[in-house]
Amino acid sequence: MAAEAEALAAAQASGKGVTALRYVPVPDCFFLGDDPMALVRAVPELTGLRVLLRAPWPEEGPDPFTCNLVIELLSTAAEVEVRQVFRLVADQVDVVAIPLPDRPAPEVPVPGAGTTSAASRSLRVDAARVDALVDLVGELIVAKNGLAHLVAQAGETDPRLARALAESQAGIERLAETMHRTVMGVRMVPLARTFRRLPRLVREAAAGLGKTVALDIRGGGNGS
């Protein structure tokens, strides 16, 4: 923090305004064609930079395919110039123009403080573990189906016991069906992630061809 404070003070002492930016890349930004550090290098008049971890890495070590960074920077360039660099990831950045000290202005909040990306709530699970869970649920359903035969046998000798077993069977059947639907939903990937890169590709193609293009994407769920 001391280095950033010195950079801010030096810029303001020279009579320049400062733009502060906080950039939280989505964890799968590499697969979307984004390069966070390349964007940082493209920032004009960069005067301060701090790179943090969004969350501690797991004990087994960092995942090379996941971006776990929070990038905070200061620039003496105009706010519009800084925003232009991050225009394709505008939903992942917070930008604040810090006025000169002699200009009356309300207290400037820390950009993005207290916010948490929705992607950070994601949990990466090995596919083999999900498959094993699906197999276990399948075995539970088979065992549940076997209860129907036991209920029928009990009804021939003890109707009261048969009714009790039937009630337990109904509860187990509801739980088994709910577990099956939930586990099958885990294996599905929302289509929104696949289509997330399309707006950027369309904008770049339209800009290169000098055309005006309207992209309409609806839905995006996993169909579960």
Side-chain angles (χ1 to χ4, degrees), residues 211-223:
K211 301 291 185 179
T212 300
V213 178
L215 175 64
D216 184 13
I217 300 178
R218 303 181 184 181
N222 55 22

Side-chain angles (χ1 to χ4, degrees), residues 114-125:
T115 60
T116 304
S117 172
S120 67
R121 295 192 297 268
S122 301
L123 178 64
R124 187 181 296 273
V125 180

Side-chain angles (χ1 to χ4, degrees), residues 7 21 52-53 60 84 92-93 150 156 162 171-172 210 218:
L21 177 139
L52 308 171
L53 288 179
E60 57 268 23
Q84 178 67 16
Q92 303 167 36
V93 301
L150 294 178
E156 298 175 357
I172 294 174
R218 303 181 184 181

Side-chain angles (χ1 to χ4, degrees), residues 184-186 188-192 220-224:
M184 294 306 296
V186 170
M188 299 180 181
V189 178
L191 291 176
N222 55 22
S224 58

Side-chain angles (χ1 to χ4, degrees), residues 1 15 27 35 51 57 65 71 92-93 98 121 175 178 190 219-220:
M1 292 295 293
D35 185 344
V51 180
W57 287 114
F65 302 107
I71 300 172
Q92 303 167 36
V93 301
I98 303 176
R121 295 192 297 268
L175 291 174
T178 300

Side-chain angles (χ1 to χ4, degrees), residues 25-218:
V26 295
D28 58 351
C29 65
F30 303 135
F31 297 98
L32 301 177
D34 298 331
D35 185 344
M37 299 314 297
L39 292 176
V40 171
R41 289 193 295 269
V43 174
E45 302 180 40
L46 183 65
T47 59
L49 175 65
R50 182 169 62 166
V51 180
L52 308 171
L53 288 179
R54 179 193 292 112
W57 287 114
E59 295 182 358
E60 57 268 23
D63 183 350
F65 302 107
T66 299
C67 183
N68 188 31
L69 301 179
V70 174
I71 300 172
E72 298 176 348
L73 60 85
L74 298 174
S75 170
T76 54
E79 179 182 350
V80 64
E81 296 180 44
V82 176
R83 289 187 180 275
Q84 178 67 16
V85 174
F86 295 88
R87 65 189 184 282
L88 299 180
V89 292
D91 59 321
Q92 303 167 36
V93 301
D94 291 289
V95 184
V96 171
I98 303 176
L100 294 175
D102 57 343
R103 298 178 183 175
E107 182 180 353
V108 178
V110 177
T115 60
T116 304
S117 172
S120 67
R121 295 192 297 268
S122 301
L123 178 64
R124 187 181 296 273
V125 180
D126 185 75
R129 295 187 178 184
V130 177
D131 291 339
L133 185 58
V134 172
D135 293 339
L136 289 174
V137 173
E139 294 178 8
L140 176 61
I141 292 176
V142 172
K144 178 264 300 181
N145 293 336
L147 287 176
H149 180 64
L150 294 178
V151 171
Q153 286 185 331
E156 298 175 357
T157 58
D158 191 338
R160 181 177 300 177
L161 176 61
R163 286 195 296 271
L165 287 174
E167 293 177 358
S168 298
Q169 178 197 7
I172 294 174
E173 184 171 357
R174 287 194 298 271
L175 291 174
E177 291 177 354
T178 300
M179 289 181 61
H180 183 263
R181 288 194 301 269
T182 302
V183 172
M184 294 306 296
V186 170
R187 301 184 67 180
M188 299 180 181
V189 178
L191 291 176
R193 174 172 297 185
T194 303
F195 294 131
R196 190 185 300 167
R197 69 178 64 189
L198 289 182
R200 174 179 180 177
L201 296 176
V202 170
R203 285 195 298 268
E204 292 180 347
L209 297 173
K211 301 291 185 179
T212 300
V213 178
L215 175 64
D216 184 13
I217 300 178
R218 303 181 184 181

